[in-house]
Amino acid sequence: MGSDSSPFFATIRMDETGECPLLTKEKLCRIQCEAGPDFLSHTCATYPRVLSPLGAYGEAALTLSCPEAVRLLLFTADLPLRVEIPEAEEAGTDESISTGSLLASFWPIRAVALRLIRNRSYPLWQRIFLLELLCRRIDSIARGELKQSYSGFLSGFETVVEAGSLREPMASLPVDRKAQLDIVLRLAGLMLRKSVVTPRFAECAQAFTSGIGNGPGATLDSLAAHYAWAHDRYYAPFFDRRPHIMENLLINMLFRYQFPFGRDVMRNGGRPQLARESALLVAQFALMRGLLIGVAGHHGTAFSEAHIVQTVQAASKHFEHHAEFLNLAHELLKESGMDGARGLAILLRNVDTESRISVSAPIFQGGLPLPLANASTPSQSISL
């Protein structure tokens, strides 16, 4: 029990599988069934919504550990979205380059970010890379390295995006699927010893490792070849026909984490670190896409929306419900030297789907692979 001054009466300890012990056999909430919704905790009453206050305003996003939230969000082709700057915030935007001015520019920056994510004249990976570039430049303005107003920069940035002058430089960015997969594997392994591995996530992990050809004698080179094969043969054709799925995933990330300033800054104050937030966005996107690539390779032509729901739901519950994950992910990027523009481009970019890689169909023979020391070392596996 909490003290008289505490709003908390009690806590609920999850069972050995990570599930609430108050669920019925039908996986319904026993509290709601027997006592009614008025007796639910705040967390349960609002779940799967994530409510984030923003001064006099507020935002709502969805926690994708709820399967129905995944279905409603990802598979809505024309997701209703208001890209609107509150008048009071717009009027208060300062032309100076102080920290206060940056905080006051949250809404205009958010509006530019949302318009960019929906700009299908660019491949999705280029949109995310441009978003990362946007964040780095705004950080430079905040540090005084670029003598430019935020509003002036945002206007010029959108003009450049519209003109398309950055397409050619982005086309020359490196493609390194081996390095990309290595980071995906390391990200996937971050919470294995810090979080309960549920049967649902274990099933997704097994499908992922099957789809990238993990097994005895596998190396990072062979895994990357199967990963490329799974992307080009099954993942890309499926999502190219349904571009809204990954777009909607990104948009929800923007709202859920109060991008580009982050939930901690918006709640507690401090100087925003936009480059850090954009690196985390790239890492989370790369991890979820990497898992889906492996799952698509495992199921082949039978890959469906049901597999997306299972993967996104299980991965969201495994990673996003733990406060440590984002800090660990950022440390991993820094230690790997992948937190810079070039490294993040490697995490984002895959080759054109017309360049098919001929690899025999993979056969699952192991668990989730741990990070590899080098390309010639056989991959290690753990049983989930």
Side-chain angles (χ1 to χ4, degrees), residues 146-370:
L146 290 178
K147 303 299 182 180
Q148 190 174 11
S149 69
Y150 296 112
S151 60
F153 169 72
L154 292 173
S155 176
F157 179 83
E158 290 204 284
T159 298
V160 171
V161 170
E162 185 66 26
S165 57
L166 296 176
R167 294 181 191 275
E168 186 173 344
M170 284 191 293
S172 66
L173 289 171
V175 178
D176 190 340
R177 283 165 147 173
K178 185 166 71 172
Q180 182 183 117
L181 177 60
D182 183 45
I183 295 299
V184 169
L185 293 174
R186 294 180 185 219
L187 287 169
L190 282 178
M191 302 304 298
L192 290 177
R193 294 176 178 84
K194 296 176 176 289
S195 175
V196 175
V197 178
T198 65
R200 192 173 177 87
F201 181 72
E203 184 178 343
C204 291
Q206 290 171 352
F208 164 70
T209 54
S210 168
I212 63 170
N214 186 51
T219 65
L220 185 54
D221 283 318
S222 68
L223 293 174
H226 281 85
Y227 175 79
W229 169 84
H231 173 274
D232 297 347
R233 188 69 59 84
Y234 298 113
Y235 174 92
F238 185 95
F239 285 95
D240 285 349
R241 296 192 299 271
R242 303 164 181 84
H244 57 279
I245 294 178
M246 299 307 282
E247 286 178 12
N248 292 352
L249 178 69
L250 277 165
I251 289 170
N252 192 63
M253 286 181 182
L254 263 61
F255 283 99
R256 175 164 164 69
Y257 295 102
Q258 294 187 279
F259 186 87
F261 290 176
R263 293 177 64 86
D264 287 342
V265 168
M266 299 305 290
R267 185 186 299 113
N268 304 317
R271 181 181 291 276
Q273 300 179 56
L274 278 70
R276 180 183 188 276
E277 295 301 319
S278 64
L280 287 174
L281 184 77
V282 171
Q284 292 175 88
F285 174 81
L287 172 59
M288 193 66 76
R289 184 189 60 181
L291 293 174
L292 288 168
I293 288 172
V295 172
H298 172 73
H299 292 286
T301 56
F303 181 64
S304 68
E305 291 184 353
H307 300 125
I308 296 173
V309 172
Q310 181 179 10
T311 304
V312 173
Q313 183 275 330
S316 296
K317 183 176 181 178
H318 183 75
F319 296 107
E320 294 181 7
H321 282 208
H322 296 273
E324 288 183 85
F325 173 66
L326 291 180
N327 287 333
L328 290 172
H330 191 242
E331 286 301 315
L332 173 60
L333 292 180
K334 290 196 299 183
E335 291 171 3
S336 305
M338 298 289 281
D339 59 326
R342 183 180 179 86
L344 296 176
I346 288 173
L347 279 179
L348 288 170
R349 189 173 187 195
N350 282 290
V351 298
D352 295 335
T353 54
E354 288 78 11
S355 302
R356 302 296 181 182
I357 294 181
S358 177
V359 178
S360 59
I363 300 175
F364 172 66
Q365 293 178 304
L368 183 64
L370 295 173

Side-chain angles (χ1 to χ4, degrees), residues 102 109-110 112-113 116 127-143 145-146 150 153-154 157 254 258-262 272-282 344:
L102 176 55
I109 296 170
R110 163 65 66 74
V112 171
L116 179 59
R127 287 176 248 168
I128 305 173
F129 185 79
L130 287 171
L131 189 60
E132 198 270 336
L133 176 62
L134 170 78
C135 290
R136 287 181 178 275
R137 292 297 174 85
I138 292 175
D139 271 349
S140 295
I141 296 174
R143 292 192 297 266
E145 297 167 1
L146 290 178
Y150 296 112
F153 169 72
L154 292 173
F157 179 83
L254 263 61
Q258 294 187 279
F259 186 87
F261 290 176
Q273 300 179 56
L274 278 70
R276 180 183 188 276
E277 295 301 319
S278 64
L280 287 174
L281 184 77
V282 171
L344 296 176

Side-chain angles (χ1 to χ4, degrees), residues 20-84:
C20 177
L22 297 176
L23 294 179
T24 67
K25 292 181 180 180
E26 295 78 21
K27 299 299 182 181
L28 299 176
C29 175
R30 184 175 290 111
I31 294 177
Q32 180 155 340
C33 291
E34 297 179 6
D38 291 341
F39 286 83
L40 292 173
S41 67
H42 174 74
T43 298
C44 296
T46 57
Y47 181 83
R49 295 174 295 279
V50 179
L51 307 177
S52 303
L54 292 171
Y57 303 91
E59 291 185 332
L62 291 175
T63 299
L64 298 185
S65 56
C66 169
E68 190 58 30
V70 177
R71 294 187 193 95
L72 290 173
L73 176 75
L74 298 191
F75 304 141
T76 301
D78 297 307
L79 188 69
L81 183 65
R82 292 172 58 189
V83 182
E84 186 175 301

